[in-house]
Amino acid sequence: MRLDTQYAWTAANQAYLMAAIAQVRSRIEESAGNVQSIERAFAELDGDLGHSAFLDSPPAIEQLCAELELSSFERAVLLACAGVELDAAFARSCAEAQHQQSPNPTFALLLAAFQDAHWDAVSPAGPLRQWRLIEVGAGSTLVTSPLRIDERILHFLTGTSYLDQRLDGLLCSIHDPGQLPASQLDVARYGADLWAAHANQGRILLELNGADQHTRQAVAVNTCRIAGLPVLRISATALPARHGENYALTRLIDRECILATSAVLLDASTEDAHDPERLSAVRLFADSLHAPLIVAAPQRIGGYLRESAYLEVGKPRTDEQRRAWHAILGPLAASLNGHVDALVEQFNLTEEQIRLSALHAAPAQTGGDTFDAIWNACRVQARPQLDGLAQRVETSTGWDGLVLPEPQMETLRAISTQVRNRWHVYHSWGFAKSSLRGLGITALFAGVSGTGKTTAAEVLAYELKLDLYRIDLSQVVSKYIGETEKSLRRIFDAAEDGGSLLFFDEADALFGKRTEVKDSHDRYANIEVSYLLQRMEQYRGLAVLATNMKQALDAAFLRRIRFVVHFPFPDAAMREQIWRRALPSEAPTEGVDMKQLARLCVAGGNIRNIALGAAFLAVKAGQPIRMLHLLESARSEYLKIEKPLTEAEIRGWV
């Protein structure tokens, strides 16, 4: 609405309101025996209603009466309460008619003044009190209690719009986030169409499900925009758990939506989806609210009593992400030598995340690799929040830090090659057209403790520039039926967008052999294993399973695992290489013989422990690292692993 048009509407609306108040005042005065005739009052009213020519929409009082279905008497009660606040003469007339000092009208006064009066106008179930349009003050009886208009309603009638102060901090307006990708805009249009199709029966509840909160909100706002409605957002964490408080808040929000002609977006988070009390509050609020409502949640909540529809909101399609990268990077996209495709193939980002990642391109142009800067920014944007279920491991070790026989090294390099080129093979060459099953890359690292399984996972993550997450099985495995499956689903879903490397240590505890069904626990355990098999095959990143007992794994797992790498116990030559890497070149040494150290029959993990322990012993003594320090550290390590240190292993050390 233009500013001059808005001023004209406000002036005409206020003139109409004061004329309507004058009509009510004349009724009250006539009932009190005032000589002013009702006919003259109506003539004045008709003259003032000429201002309505400036109104391109109904006056606020008439909008409110139509929306809340107020009777003519209820309209008169509301106008009487407004008149006391806006017209000093009206206040004097009320006080004189009631023979008291208080100007506020009472129900008794209005019952006597209007022939169409009805008792239920001020009942708690009537619209005046149900929608909190008026408040009943203290009095000896209900009919003699003073009535007062709610402040928010008074300002609305005068044409002043603002958010009810009782809802400050709970409700906020959301502006249009801009153009959505076509796939997400289709979801918004479908939601608006559902509302339009059910408009006569009351708009159905829409629940939007998707992992990204920003995307859910953007689709919700566009749904409301297409439906011609502004939207007010409230967080599920703000909903009271108690039914009475929840219902009272619902009525206030419903009233606000009527006054502002808006819809509501109820935003639920992942934490809300796992809190039974919060879910109960969400359902109670959704079932009580009359306004158009969208519930946005990462996973389906459901369980509503009102008619509902569920819409999935995904990330932009691959082609949409590619177009977004080119549009946001502009001319810089061409200078990346086709690496935009690598970003699209590795990361599943929203347009907002792409825009934030692209911000790192400009500083990188002044120094450093632009592509690396954008790639690392994408890693941060796609970095999953796994809530203690997994630990992100910082990696700094390349191929040179790994000591393994050549066949095992070749297998690890093959894993790296397939991860780098999987999207080219799957999509450009069409291998994904026949089936999406089996496209995940999964590797099994088998070998005794300390033979390099974790190091190999770190090397792969470092070489592929991926985040490495070590899964904490103590947080994942649960004795309660179905909880392990839920935790694993959260891990895979959260890690999916960045294609992170998931490292399941001691995987035999989680991916063990399926058992013959003897009771209900066996049946549910087998269901979990089947679910894990499906998720591993569908995961777009790299999943690495590490186990000390390969024979404990289910045969179905081994069939579906693409790579199996056996980590052998290192021989003397390999141990010597490990020793050379375990003692950094910066560390001062004196008389250290690598061939003698290689006689220690321990795995690489133990070697690193011995080298580190010797370094601390040398620092304490103020000396360089010597064979004496290494001998003392070796004895402590052997004692820890309960293995005897033989004379043949340490002969000639000191």
Side-chain angles (χ1 to χ4, degrees), residues 182-222:
S183 59
Q184 296 175 355
L185 190 57
D186 287 342
V187 178
R189 289 196 183 104
Y190 183 68
D193 289 343
L194 284 175
W195 270 354
H198 293 77
N200 293 334
Q201 297 82 21
R203 290 187 175 95
I204 65 174
L205 181 153
L206 299 180
E207 183 175 317
L208 298 179
N209 302 126
D212 183 70
Q213 181 183 25
H214 183 271
T215 301
R216 297 195 304 265
Q217 181 169 296
V219 172
V221 172
N222 274 270

mmCIF file of all heavy atoms in Angstrom, residues 182-222:
data_model
loop_
_atom_site.group_PDB
_atom_site.id
_atom_site.type_symbol
_atom_site.label_atom_id
_atom_site.label_comp_id
_atom_site.label_asym_id
_atom_site.label_seq_id
_atom_site.Cartn_x
_atom_site.Cartn_y
_atom_site.Cartn_z
ATOM 1 N N ALA A 182 14.110 -24.939 -8.730
ATOM 2 C CA ALA A 182 12.834 -25.416 -9.281
ATOM 3 C C ALA A 182 12.274 -26.590 -8.486
ATOM 4 O O ALA A 182 11.064 -26.664 -8.241
ATOM 5 C CB ALA A 182 13.017 -25.800 -10.744
ATOM 6 N N SER A 183 13.137 -27.522 -8.059
ATOM 7 C CA SER A 183 12.649 -28.709 -7.346
ATOM 8 C C SER A 183 12.015 -28.342 -6.012
ATOM 9 O O SER A 183 11.023 -28.948 -5.596
ATOM 10 C CB SER A 183 13.801 -29.701 -7.123
ATOM 11 O OG SER A 183 14.845 -29.105 -6.370
ATOM 12 N N GLN A 184 12.572 -27.342 -5.326
ATOM 13 C CA GLN A 184 12.002 -26.911 -4.048
ATOM 14 C C GLN A 184 10.786 -26.016 -4.257
ATOM 15 O O GLN A 184 9.835 -26.066 -3.465
ATOM 16 C CB GLN A 184 13.074 -26.188 -3.231
ATOM 17 C CG GLN A 184 14.241 -27.082 -2.835
ATOM 18 C CD GLN A 184 15.352 -26.330 -2.141
ATOM 19 O OE1 GLN A 184 15.313 -25.112 -2.021
ATOM 20 N NE2 GLN A 184 16.366 -27.052 -1.696
ATOM 21 N N LEU A 185 10.801 -25.220 -5.317
ATOM 22 C CA LEU A 185 9.642 -24.380 -5.618
ATOM 23 C C LEU A 185 8.428 -25.234 -5.965
ATOM 24 O O LEU A 185 7.289 -24.871 -5.633
ATOM 25 C CB LEU A 185 9.972 -23.433 -6.768
ATOM 26 C CG LEU A 185 8.949 -22.330 -7.060
ATOM 27 C CD1 LEU A 185 8.708 -21.459 -5.835
ATOM 28 C CD2 LEU A 185 9.411 -21.482 -8.235
ATOM 29 N N ASP A 186 8.657 -26.372 -6.577
ATOM 30 C CA ASP A 186 7.549 -27.291 -6.876
ATOM 31 C C ASP A 186 6.878 -27.777 -5.588
ATOM 32 O O ASP A 186 5.651 -27.929 -5.535
ATOM 33 C CB ASP A 186 8.062 -28.493 -7.678
ATOM 34 C CG ASP A 186 8.391 -28.122 -9.121
ATOM 35 O OD1 ASP A 186 7.924 -27.069 -9.580
ATOM 36 O OD2 ASP A 186 9.126 -28.887 -9.774
ATOM 37 N N VAL A 187 7.684 -28.025 -4.550
ATOM 38 C CA VAL A 187 7.128 -28.440 -3.260
ATOM 39 C C VAL A 187 6.275 -27.313 -2.672
ATOM 40 O O VAL A 187 5.174 -27.551 -2.160
ATOM 41 C CB VAL A 187 8.253 -28.831 -2.285
ATOM 42 C CG1 VAL A 187 7.670 -29.214 -0.923
ATOM 43 C CG2 VAL A 187 9.070 -29.991 -2.842
ATOM 44 N N ALA A 188 6.771 -26.079 -2.764
ATOM 45 C CA ALA A 188 6.021 -24.931 -2.241
ATOM 46 C C ALA A 188 4.700 -24.763 -2.984
ATOM 47 O O ALA A 188 3.653 -24.512 -2.369
ATOM 48 C CB ALA A 188 6.865 -23.665 -2.348
ATOM 49 N N ARG A 189 4.735 -24.898 -4.310
ATOM 50 C CA ARG A 189 3.494 -24.763 -5.091
ATOM 51 C C ARG A 189 2.507 -25.865 -4.721
ATOM 52 O O ARG A 189 1.299 -25.611 -4.629
ATOM 53 C CB ARG A 189 3.829 -24.838 -6.580
ATOM 54 C CG ARG A 189 4.559 -23.617 -7.131
ATOM 55 C CD ARG A 189 4.489 -23.605 -8.644
ATOM 56 N NE ARG A 189 5.228 -22.492 -9.215
ATOM 57 C CZ ARG A 189 6.419 -22.597 -9.793
ATOM 58 N NH1 ARG A 189 7.005 -23.790 -9.878
ATOM 59 N NH2 ARG A 189 7.037 -21.544 -10.282
ATOM 60 N N TYR A 190 3.011 -27.069 -4.539
ATOM 61 C CA TYR A 190 2.122 -28.181 -4.198
ATOM 62 C C TYR A 190 1.457 -27.935 -2.846
ATOM 63 O O TYR A 190 0.256 -28.190 -2.666
ATOM 64 C CB TYR A 190 2.910 -29.486 -4.183
ATOM 65 C CG TYR A 190 2.061 -30.703 -3.919
ATOM 66 C CD1 TYR A 190 1.120 -31.137 -4.848
ATOM 67 C CD2 TYR A 190 2.181 -31.417 -2.726
ATOM 68 C CE1 TYR A 190 0.328 -32.253 -4.603
ATOM 69 C CE2 TYR A 190 1.401 -32.530 -2.477
ATOM 70 C CZ TYR A 190 0.479 -32.944 -3.409
ATOM 71 O OH TYR A 190 -0.304 -34.040 -3.168
ATOM 72 N N GLY A 191 2.225 -27.416 -1.892
ATOM 73 C CA GLY A 191 1.645 -27.106 -0.584
ATOM 74 C C GLY A 191 0.572 -26.033 -0.679
ATOM 75 O O GLY A 191 -0.492 -26.140 -0.053
ATOM 76 N N ALA A 192 0.839 -24.982 -1.465
ATOM 77 C CA ALA A 192 -0.161 -23.917 -1.646
ATOM 78 C C ALA A 192 -1.403 -24.453 -2.343
ATOM 79 O O ALA A 192 -2.536 -24.056 -2.013
ATOM 80 C CB ALA A 192 0.450 -22.766 -2.444
ATOM 81 N N ASP A 193 -1.218 -25.371 -3.303
ATOM 82 C CA ASP A 193 -2.367 -25.977 -3.985
ATOM 83 C C ASP A 193 -3.216 -26.803 -3.014
ATOM 84 O O ASP A 193 -4.452 -26.807 -3.095
ATOM 85 C CB ASP A 193 -1.887 -26.858 -5.143
ATOM 86 C CG ASP A 193 -1.331 -26.035 -6.302
ATOM 87 O OD1 ASP A 193 -1.603 -24.823 -6.346
ATOM 88 O OD2 ASP A 193 -0.619 -26.612 -7.142
ATOM 89 N N LEU A 194 -2.565 -27.509 -2.102
ATOM 90 C CA LEU A 194 -3.305 -28.287 -1.103
ATOM 91 C C LEU A 194 -4.142 -27.360 -0.229
ATOM 92 O O LEU A 194 -5.293 -27.669 0.099
ATOM 93 C CB LEU A 194 -2.329 -29.095 -0.240
ATOM 94 C CG LEU A 194 -1.712 -30.345 -0.869
ATOM 95 C CD1 LEU A 194 -0.680 -30.957 0.073
ATOM 96 C CD2 LEU A 194 -2.796 -31.382 -1.174
ATOM 97 N N TRP A 195 -3.575 -26.233 0.165
ATOM 98 C CA TRP A 195 -4.332 -25.266 0.961
ATOM 99 C C TRP A 195 -5.539 -24.748 0.183
ATOM 100 O O TRP A 195 -6.641 -24.643 0.719
ATOM 101 C CB TRP A 195 -3.429 -24.106 1.348
ATOM 102 C CG TRP A 195 -2.722 -24.327 2.652
ATOM 103 C CD1 TRP A 195 -2.914 -25.359 3.510
ATOM 104 C CD2 TRP A 195 -1.753 -23.480 3.250
ATOM 105 N NE1 TRP A 195 -2.107 -25.226 4.612
ATOM 106 C CE2 TRP A 195 -1.388 -24.072 4.472
ATOM 107 C CE3 TRP A 195 -1.152 -22.289 2.870
ATOM 108 C CZ2 TRP A 195 -0.441 -23.495 5.319
ATOM 109 C CZ3 TRP A 195 -0.214 -21.718 3.718
ATOM 110 C CH2 TRP A 195 0.138 -22.314 4.926
ATOM 111 N N ALA A 196 -5.301 -24.417 -1.083
ATOM 112 C CA ALA A 196 -6.402 -23.876 -1.894
ATOM 113 C C ALA A 196 -7.513 -24.899 -2.074
ATOM 114 O O ALA A 196 -8.703 -24.562 -2.039
ATOM 115 C CB ALA A 196 -5.859 -23.435 -3.255
ATOM 116 N N ALA A 197 -7.139 -26.165 -2.235
ATOM 117 C CA ALA A 197 -8.137 -27.214 -2.458
ATOM 118 C C ALA A 197 -8.976 -27.472 -1.217
ATOM 119 O O ALA A 197 -10.110 -27.948 -1.316
ATOM 120 C CB ALA A 197 -7.443 -28.499 -2.905
ATOM 121 N N HIS A 198 -8.427 -27.174 -0.031
ATOM 122 C CA HIS A 198 -9.155 -27.434 1.220
ATOM 123 C C HIS A 198 -9.589 -26.138 1.900
ATOM 124 O O HIS A 198 -9.883 -26.135 3.094
ATOM 125 C CB HIS A 198 -8.271 -28.234 2.182
ATOM 126 C CG HIS A 198 -7.980 -29.631 1.721
ATOM 127 N ND1 HIS A 198 -7.058 -29.904 0.731
ATOM 128 C CD2 HIS A 198 -8.502 -30.828 2.093
ATOM 129 C CE1 HIS A 198 -7.006 -31.202 0.522
ATOM 130 N NE2 HIS A 198 -7.875 -31.784 1.327
ATOM 131 N N ALA A 199 -9.627 -25.040 1.161
ATOM 132 C CA ALA A 199 -9.931 -23.736 1.767
ATOM 133 C C ALA A 199 -11.312 -23.709 2.395
ATOM 134 O O ALA A 199 -11.516 -23.099 3.447
ATOM 135 C CB ALA A 199 -9.796 -22.634 0.717
ATOM 136 N N ASN A 200 -12.269 -24.357 1.788
ATOM 137 C CA ASN A 200 -13.640 -24.332 2.309
ATOM 138 C C ASN A 200 -13.771 -25.098 3.619
ATOM 139 O O ASN A 200 -14.599 -24.769 4.464
ATOM 140 C CB ASN A 200 -14.610 -24.914 1.273
ATOM 141 C CG ASN A 200 -14.724 -24.034 0.047
ATOM 142 O OD1 ASN A 200 -14.507 -22.823 0.128
ATOM 143 N ND2 ASN A 200 -15.055 -24.634 -1.092
ATOM 144 N N GLN A 201 -12.952 -26.159 3.775
ATOM 145 C CA GLN A 201 -13.025 -26.955 5.000
ATOM 146 C C GLN A 201 -12.023 -26.488 6.056
ATOM 147 O O GLN A 201 -11.918 -27.082 7.122
ATOM 148 C CB GLN A 201 -12.744 -28.437 4.690
ATOM 149 C CG GLN A 201 -13.751 -29.101 3.775
ATOM 150 C CD GLN A 201 -13.493 -28.816 2.309
ATOM 151 O OE1 GLN A 201 -12.386 -28.466 1.941
ATOM 152 N NE2 GLN A 201 -14.524 -28.961 1.481
ATOM 153 N N GLY A 202 -11.277 -25.414 5.765
ATOM 154 C CA GLY A 202 -10.195 -24.997 6.656
ATOM 155 C C GLY A 202 -8.895 -25.579 6.152
ATOM 156 O O GLY A 202 -8.827 -26.769 5.832
ATOM 157 N N ARG A 203 -7.873 -24.768 6.055
ATOM 158 C CA ARG A 203 -6.615 -25.230 5.481
ATOM 159 C C ARG A 203 -6.033 -26.377 6.308
ATOM 160 O O ARG A 203 -5.963 -26.305 7.529
ATOM 161 C CB ARG A 203 -5.612 -24.077 5.394
ATOM 162 C CG ARG A 203 -5.980 -23.039 4.337
ATOM 163 C CD ARG A 203 -4.844 -22.027 4.199
ATOM 164 N NE ARG A 203 -5.102 -21.092 3.117
ATOM 165 C CZ ARG A 203 -5.658 -19.906 3.269
ATOM 166 N NH1 ARG A 203 -6.060 -19.535 4.475
ATOM 167 N NH2 ARG A 203 -5.832 -19.101 2.252
ATOM 168 N N ILE A 204 -5.578 -27.408 5.605
ATOM 169 C CA ILE A 204 -5.002 -28.552 6.302
ATOM 170 C C ILE A 204 -3.612 -28.191 6.799
ATOM 171 O O ILE A 204 -2.957 -27.276 6.303
ATOM 172 C CB ILE A 204 -4.936 -29.790 5.380
ATOM 173 C CG1 ILE A 204 -3.971 -29.541 4.220
ATOM 174 C CG2 ILE A 204 -6.303 -30.175 4.888
ATOM 175 C CD1 ILE A 204 -3.744 -30.781 3.365
ATOM 176 N N LEU A 205 -3.144 -28.924 7.786
ATOM 177 C CA LEU A 205 -1.801 -28.735 8.314
ATOM 178 C C LEU A 205 -0.792 -29.296 7.312
ATOM 179 O O LEU A 205 -0.954 -30.413 6.816
ATOM 180 C CB LEU A 205 -1.668 -29.447 9.662
ATOM 181 C CG LEU A 205 -0.335 -29.362 10.405
ATOM 182 C CD1 LEU A 205 -0.575 -29.520 11.902
ATOM 183 C CD2 LEU A 205 0.659 -30.422 9.963
ATOM 184 N N LEU A 206 0.249 -28.532 7.017
ATOM 185 C CA LEU A 206 1.335 -29.001 6.167
ATOM 186 C C LEU A 206 2.551 -29.267 7.033
ATOM 187 O O LEU A 206 2.951 -28.414 7.830
ATOM 188 C CB LEU A 206 1.691 -27.964 5.101
ATOM 189 C CG LEU A 206 0.606 -27.579 4.100
ATOM 190 C CD1 LEU A 206 1.141 -26.537 3.128
ATOM 191 C CD2 LEU A 206 0.100 -28.803 3.336
ATOM 192 N N GLU A 207 3.127 -30.444 6.900
ATOM 193 C CA GLU A 207 4.397 -30.727 7.594
ATOM 194 C C GLU A 207 5.494 -30.890 6.553
ATOM 195 O O GLU A 207 5.420 -31.743 5.672
ATOM 196 C CB GLU A 207 4.297 -31.982 8.463
ATOM 197 C CG GLU A 207 5.596 -32.223 9.224
ATOM 198 C CD GLU A 207 5.527 -33.390 10.205
ATOM 199 O OE1 GLU A 207 4.505 -33.513 10.909
ATOM 200 O OE2 GLU A 207 6.492 -34.173 10.251
ATOM 201 N N LEU A 208 6.529 -30.054 6.667
ATOM 202 C CA LEU A 208 7.676 -30.097 5.764
ATOM 203 C C LEU A 208 8.819 -30.807 6.457
ATOM 204 O O LEU A 208 9.232 -30.409 7.554
ATOM 205 C CB LEU A 208 8.115 -28.675 5.380
ATOM 206 C CG LEU A 208 7.102 -27.803 4.629
ATOM 207 C CD1 LEU A 208 7.696 -26.433 4.368
ATOM 208 C CD2 LEU A 208 6.697 -28.464 3.328
ATOM 209 N N ASN A 209 9.321 -31.844 5.833
ATOM 210 C CA ASN A 209 10.419 -32.623 6.405
ATOM 211 C C ASN A 209 11.647 -32.531 5.514
ATOM 212 O O ASN A 209 11.555 -32.657 4.293
ATOM 213 C CB ASN A 209 10.018 -34.088 6.576
ATOM 214 C CG ASN A 209 8.798 -34.267 7.461
ATOM 215 O OD1 ASN A 209 7.825 -34.885 7.081
ATOM 216 N ND2 ASN A 209 8.842 -33.691 8.644
ATOM 217 N N GLY A 210 12.789 -32.320 6.139
ATOM 218 C CA GLY A 210 14.053 -32.233 5.419
ATOM 219 C C GLY A 210 15.165 -31.915 6.390
ATOM 220 O O GLY A 210 14.935 -31.342 7.470
ATOM 221 N N ALA A 211 16.384 -32.280 6.023
ATOM 222 C CA ALA A 211 17.506 -32.168 6.955
ATOM 223 C C ALA A 211 17.929 -30.725 7.209
ATOM 224 O O ALA A 211 18.376 -30.391 8.299
ATOM 225 C CB ALA A 211 18.702 -32.968 6.430
ATOM 226 N N ASP A 212 17.785 -29.833 6.208
ATOM 227 C CA ASP A 212 18.312 -28.479 6.330
ATOM 228 C C ASP A 212 17.242 -27.508 6.803
ATOM 229 O O ASP A 212 16.201 -27.348 6.161
ATOM 230 C CB ASP A 212 18.880 -28.013 4.983
ATOM 231 C CG ASP A 212 19.512 -26.641 5.086
ATOM 232 O OD1 ASP A 212 20.572 -26.533 5.726
ATOM 233 O OD2 ASP A 212 18.940 -25.687 4.547
ATOM 234 N N GLN A 213 17.506 -26.848 7.927
ATOM 235 C CA GLN A 213 16.516 -25.938 8.515
ATOM 236 C C GLN A 213 16.262 -24.735 7.614
ATOM 237 O O GLN A 213 15.108 -24.314 7.442
ATOM 238 C CB GLN A 213 17.000 -25.459 9.886
ATOM 239 C CG GLN A 213 16.019 -24.537 10.589
ATOM 240 C CD GLN A 213 16.556 -24.023 11.910
ATOM 241 O OE1 GLN A 213 17.763 -23.955 12.115
ATOM 242 N NE2 GLN A 213 15.674 -23.660 12.816
ATOM 243 N N HIS A 214 17.320 -24.158 7.042
ATOM 244 C CA HIS A 214 17.151 -22.985 6.183
ATOM 245 C C HIS A 214 16.276 -23.313 4.980
ATOM 246 O O HIS A 214 15.422 -22.525 4.576
ATOM 247 C CB HIS A 214 18.522 -22.479 5.721
ATOM 248 C CG HIS A 214 18.457 -21.246 4.887
ATOM 249 N ND1 HIS A 214 18.318 -21.280 3.513
ATOM 250 C CD2 HIS A 214 18.483 -19.924 5.224
ATOM 251 C CE1 HIS A 214 18.281 -20.049 3.044
ATOM 252 N NE2 HIS A 214 18.383 -19.205 4.055
ATOM 253 N N THR A 215 16.464 -24.507 4.399
ATOM 254 C CA THR A 215 15.668 -24.911 3.242
ATOM 255 C C THR A 215 14.207 -25.107 3.625
ATOM 256 O O THR A 215 13.298 -24.679 2.900
ATOM 257 C CB THR A 215 16.231 -26.204 2.637
ATOM 258 O OG1 THR A 215 17.598 -25.988 2.245
ATOM 259 C CG2 THR A 215 15.426 -26.642 1.431
ATOM 260 N N ARG A 216 13.962 -25.757 4.756
ATOM 261 C CA ARG A 216 12.579 -25.950 5.210
ATOM 262 C C ARG A 216 11.881 -24.609 5.379
ATOM 263 O O ARG A 216 10.730 -24.425 4.970
ATOM 264 C CB ARG A 216 12.556 -26.718 6.544
ATOM 265 C CG ARG A 216 13.112 -28.120 6.500
ATOM 266 C CD ARG A 216 12.722 -28.901 7.743
ATOM 267 N NE ARG A 216 13.114 -28.275 8.975
ATOM 268 C CZ ARG A 216 14.244 -28.534 9.650
ATOM 269 N NH1 ARG A 216 15.109 -29.400 9.154
ATOM 270 N NH2 ARG A 216 14.515 -27.930 10.786
ATOM 271 N N GLN A 217 12.581 -23.655 5.974
ATOM 272 C CA GLN A 217 11.984 -22.345 6.210
ATOM 273 C C GLN A 217 11.721 -21.623 4.895
ATOM 274 O O GLN A 217 10.672 -20.990 4.722
ATOM 275 C CB GLN A 217 12.912 -21.520 7.099
ATOM 276 C CG GLN A 217 12.391 -20.141 7.426
ATOM 277 C CD GLN A 217 13.205 -19.464 8.511
ATOM 278 O OE1 GLN A 217 13.252 -19.908 9.646
ATOM 279 N NE2 GLN A 217 13.867 -18.380 8.155
ATOM 280 N N ALA A 218 12.666 -21.715 3.954
ATOM 281 C CA ALA A 218 12.500 -21.036 2.665
ATOM 282 C C ALA A 218 11.301 -21.589 1.899
ATOM 283 O O ALA A 218 10.525 -20.833 1.298
ATOM 284 C CB ALA A 218 13.774 -21.171 1.838
ATOM 285 N N VAL A 219 11.134 -22.908 1.922
ATOM 286 C CA VAL A 219 10.000 -23.522 1.232
ATOM 287 C C VAL A 219 8.691 -23.121 1.916
ATOM 288 O O VAL A 219 7.690 -22.839 1.249
ATOM 289 C CB VAL A 219 10.153 -25.055 1.191
ATOM 290 C CG1 VAL A 219 8.882 -25.715 0.656
ATOM 291 C CG2 VAL A 219 11.350 -25.443 0.332
ATOM 292 N N ALA A 220 8.689 -23.064 3.239
ATOM 293 C CA ALA A 220 7.484 -22.659 3.971
ATOM 294 C C ALA A 220 7.088 -21.229 3.623
ATOM 295 O O ALA A 220 5.908 -20.930 3.389
ATOM 296 C CB ALA A 220 7.719 -22.797 5.471
ATOM 297 N N VAL A 221 8.062 -20.327 3.587
ATOM 298 C CA VAL A 221 7.778 -18.926 3.265
ATOM 299 C C VAL A 221 7.228 -18.808 1.846
ATOM 300 O O VAL A 221 6.282 -18.054 1.587
ATOM 301 C CB VAL A 221 9.047 -18.068 3.431
ATOM 302 C CG1 VAL A 221 8.819 -16.655 2.904
ATOM 303 C CG2 VAL A 221 9.458 -18.017 4.897
ATOM 304 N N ASN A 222 7.798 -19.560 0.907
ATOM 305 C CA ASN A 222 7.314 -19.504 -0.467
ATOM 306 C C ASN A 222 5.925 -20.112 -0.600
ATOM 307 O O ASN A 222 5.118 -19.660 -1.413
ATOM 308 C CB ASN A 222 8.297 -20.197 -1.399
ATOM 309 C CG ASN A 222 9.398 -19.271 -1.870
ATOM 310 O OD1 ASN A 222 9.282 -18.611 -2.889
ATOM 311 N ND2 ASN A 222 10.480 -19.216 -1.089
#
